[in-house]
Amino acid sequence: METAIQIILNSIVSGLLLSLVAIGFTYIFRTTRVFHLAHGGIYVTGAFACWWTLTKTNNWFIAIAFAIAVVAILIYLIEKTVYLPLNKKQSNQSISLIASMGLYVVIVNILALIFGNENKTIENSISGSYEIGNIILTKVQMIQTVIGIVATATFLIYLKLSKSNLALQAISDSETISKVFGINTNNERLKVFIAGSILSCIAAILKTLEVGIDPQAGMSITLTAAVVAILVSRMNVLLVIAFSIALTILQNSVEWFLDAQWKDGITFLLLLLVILFRTEGIISYNLRKDRA
Amino acid sequence: MNYILHILVMLEIYIFLALSANQKIGLSGLLSLAQAVFYGVGAYASAIVITKFGFSYWLALPVAISACVITALVFSFIAGKVRELYFSLATLALQIIFFSVCYNWIPVTNGSYGISGISNPEIFGMKINTPLSFALFGGVVVSLVIGFYVWFLKTPISRLIQATRDDQIAVLSLGKNPNYYKRVSIILSAIIAGVAGSIYATYTTYIDPSSFTLDESILILSIVLIGGAGRIIGPITGAVIYILLPEVLKFLQMPDGIAANMRMILFGLLLVLIVRFKPKGIFGKFMIQ
């Protein structure tokens, strides 16, 4: 029983971090229709920027601010030079997927060239844990949980205050009609790319606290976030969080009862089944016939 | 000299893989992210029957091809159910499942330790076990495949495969079944990649799951898209660029450690530039819209 509680507790924390990446991926995918695999590149760029600044300044505030600035500039350049021009040419999703794969390869190899392929850990990282019976919660997990919740809440408040949520839903339904109704679609695209990248950057920094970072670390979490995006199939932050935690519980259970290497296999088997038999995602609702 | 011959053998293997991917992408318009699965199935099937059952290469080859055809049937079922991005995602899922199985099905694949001691092929009593003999053997087989494609691209079935790529409804209106032509194309692609896998396994005499990852599938796809899909010359050009790029970097006196990353940076950049400015690739005929 205690093992089950520990697995669930760990899964909630890891699931929250996954949900930060998945929220960004889902909003970007649903709004821009870009299957943004380069999100994995953005993730590791944020982590490396933070790690590098910490080694130079030993100041967390400067490190986090610098990492966020770096990912924001990087995604701005990517959107302006690659994704937006492809969107103007009305390229289909396969084209943007290929471009995204190319960008991912470039980013990861540049980082490997600069920092090397080995895992980088943050020195003087926070240690210690709290124990309730046999259940353990580390201080790093506490920090991950609190900052994860704050970041998600900030994103939700931003959506509410900026009224972007409605604009994003409109662009998701039809970009052309959104333009007719005066929505600056290019601006909204850029905002969702930057917001999604910042969430991913925060997740990467929190994960680096726990296990460190290497240039290849972004692909696995991005692919899992992509699975969440396909399963949820809607722009709903709370649903993305719920699915991220559920998927992490499944993965951790597989890791516990079978083997760590099976968890990706099981995750993607689930994706395959959903794509084949429920392409509209697990959570779907009946649209009126004239909207279906 | 042996180094140049090794480069030549790897070039032949990548030409094989690029031609097989071109069959799916260029002729059928199916953007698969799992070409390394067929490569891996061919390699593992050959390695397993050679090392565990003592088969010769020439007996192992039909087994590898049969395994690839069975795998191709799974892919063609998917191609019949979903299209475009969702087909790509389904193949991505299959790629990761395949890697998981190779890594974890230890009694059969030996997991991360891989399979070693794969014997070399023999032809008329002569063992093919030197880089020169492998380069010649690979050259002959690649020539046969290129010759096959020169003939195949003029056949009615090839035109119907390309018609399925361009307009499924038009194919239906001719009373033909588009899924049948997709199936033929995927099976053909699988057989060629499977043969490449079996040659790779017997050339290196050792295989492990790290040769058949998603990265490898992305690489094969990039080779085709950079060279250009739909023609024979496109995939060959892509493979030549990929294999010779590190040699050019070495010529520029770049250290090996930097050259490996620089190769991938240049290749990724080339892929982005091709998609952005020349979507048909260098010599391509077909463009994914």
Side-chain angles (χ1 to χ4, degrees), chain A residues 112-171:
Chain A
L113 200 60
I114 299 170
F115 299 106
N117 278 310
E118 65 278 10
N119 193 50
K120 302 279 187 296
T121 51
I122 294 173
E123 285 178 30
N124 302 321
S125 193
I126 302 110
S127 57
S129 58
Y130 301 101
E131 288 180 34
I132 307 159
N134 285 334
I135 296 161
I136 300 166
L137 191 66
T138 64
K139 281 186 182 170
V140 170
Q141 284 181 315
M142 293 283 280
I143 292 169
Q144 287 172 334
T145 310
V146 172
I147 296 181
I149 290 169
V150 170
T152 311
T154 310
F155 182 70
L156 277 170
I157 292 166
Y158 157 74
L159 285 179
K160 189 86 180 165
L161 293 182
S162 66
K163 295 185 177 136
S164 272
N165 205 22
L166 206 57
L168 296 178
Q169 299 275 5
I171 298 169

Side-chain angles (χ1 to χ4, degrees), chain B residues 96-129:
Chain B
I96 291 169
I97 293 167
F98 173 75
F99 181 79
S100 253
V101 170
C102 287
Y103 213 92
N104 292 293
W105 198 13
I106 292 168
V108 175
T109 64
N110 210 20
S112 58
Y113 297 109
I115 300 173
S116 56
I118 305 162
S119 59
N120 299 124
E122 275 183 38
I123 298 178
F124 307 122
M126 283 191 304
K127 214 162 177 67
I128 301 172
N129 56 2

Side-chain angles (χ1 to χ4, degrees), chain A residues 231-243:
Chain A
L231 298 183
V232 175
S233 78
R234 284 164 66 178
M235 286 195 288
N236 183 317
V237 171
L238 296 179
L239 273 179
V240 172
I241 294 171
F243 270 76

